[in-house]
Amino acid sequence: MNEKKFDIKPFLYLFGGIGAYLLIKPILNSLGITQSAEAAKQEAENKANREEYLKPTPTDPPPTKTPGEWAIIADTLYRDLRFSWVSDDYADAEYQLKRPKNEADMKLLIKAFGFRTEYKFGIPDGSPKDLAQMVKDNLSRDQLNMLNNTYKQRNISFRF
């Protein structure tokens, strides 16, 4: 009597893999390694809005510094904010963020900063962030309010 036995191992592996994926996916999403469909849609919309803001308009005043100077300021800001709170230089970051004098300056600074990775104790902390995300994650609410008031006084529409 030759009986064929049904092998259940492939099904266990399949269901185990699906279960592991369903358990790990929310963790990966929260770490920024993968994105949910809603987050991807929101990110695409934010990118389009960002690009629209960064386009020069005829009403923009001339910038007070060259794009190269704004790139140096953006690099300085990144050095001020890229590590954990122990080694960040918030006072200098605040000074650098007060340097834009008009809308064109702000656009050049945002463009020069681009997207950069923040580090927590030498380990990359999620996906790259733009200037607004990096500043919001590092400065206090009081500092952000002070910067926003400065921008308002200078007729800069950008706010943190």
Side-chain angles (χ1 to χ4, degrees):
M1 309 219 185
N2 203 357
E3 289 183 33
K4 277 192 168 181
K5 290 189 176 181
F6 182 72
D7 192 8
I8 196 166
K9 285 182 184 177
F11 293 104
L12 288 176
Y13 293 137
L14 176 68
F15 290 121
I18 292 171
Y21 173 75
L22 293 174
L23 290 173
I24 293 173
K25 185 178 178 190
I27 296 169
L28 295 176
N29 284 344
S30 68
L31 293 174
I33 296 171
T34 62
Q35 289 184 333
S36 64
E38 300 85 27
K41 181 181 175 186
Q42 182 65 43
E43 185 175 314
E45 186 177 311
N46 288 346
K47 183 179 179 187
N49 289 340
R50 182 178 188 277
E51 294 303 318
E52 184 65 31
Y53 172 75
L54 292 177
K55 287 181 185 175
T57 63
T59 59
D60 285 347
T64 60
K65 298 183 183 332
T66 66
E69 290 172 308
W70 286 114
I72 292 168
I73 292 169
D75 289 343
T76 302
L77 262 170
Y78 181 58
R79 279 193 302 276
D80 290 341
L81 300 176
R82 73 176 164 185
F83 292 117
S84 61
W85 61 271
V86 174
S87 60
D88 283 350
D89 187 352
Y90 299 119
D92 187 58
E94 210 175 290
Y95 168 75
Q96 300 300 332
L97 288 165
K98 288 180 185 177
R99 294 182 78 172
K101 304 292 184 217
N102 59 41
E103 196 77 35
D105 287 347
M106 196 70 212
K107 289 178 181 183
L108 287 172
L109 178 60
I110 292 169
K111 193 178 287 189
F113 192 87
F115 289 86
R116 302 183 188 212
T117 303
E118 187 173 14
Y119 293 86
K120 298 290 186 205
F121 305 105
I123 300 170
D125 182 29
S127 59
K129 300 173 182 179
D130 65 7
L131 178 65
Q133 293 167 321
M134 186 79 77
V135 169
K136 283 180 184 177
D137 288 351
N138 284 283
L139 298 184
S140 71
R141 176 56 36 205
D142 289 339
Q143 290 170 310
L144 294 175
N145 288 337
M146 183 271 311
L147 288 169
N148 288 336
N149 287 334
T150 301
Y151 296 156
K152 184 178 179 180
Q153 291 169 358
R154 294 177 181 173
N155 293 321
I156 298 173
S157 63
F158 180 84
R159 301 287 187 275
F160 290 109

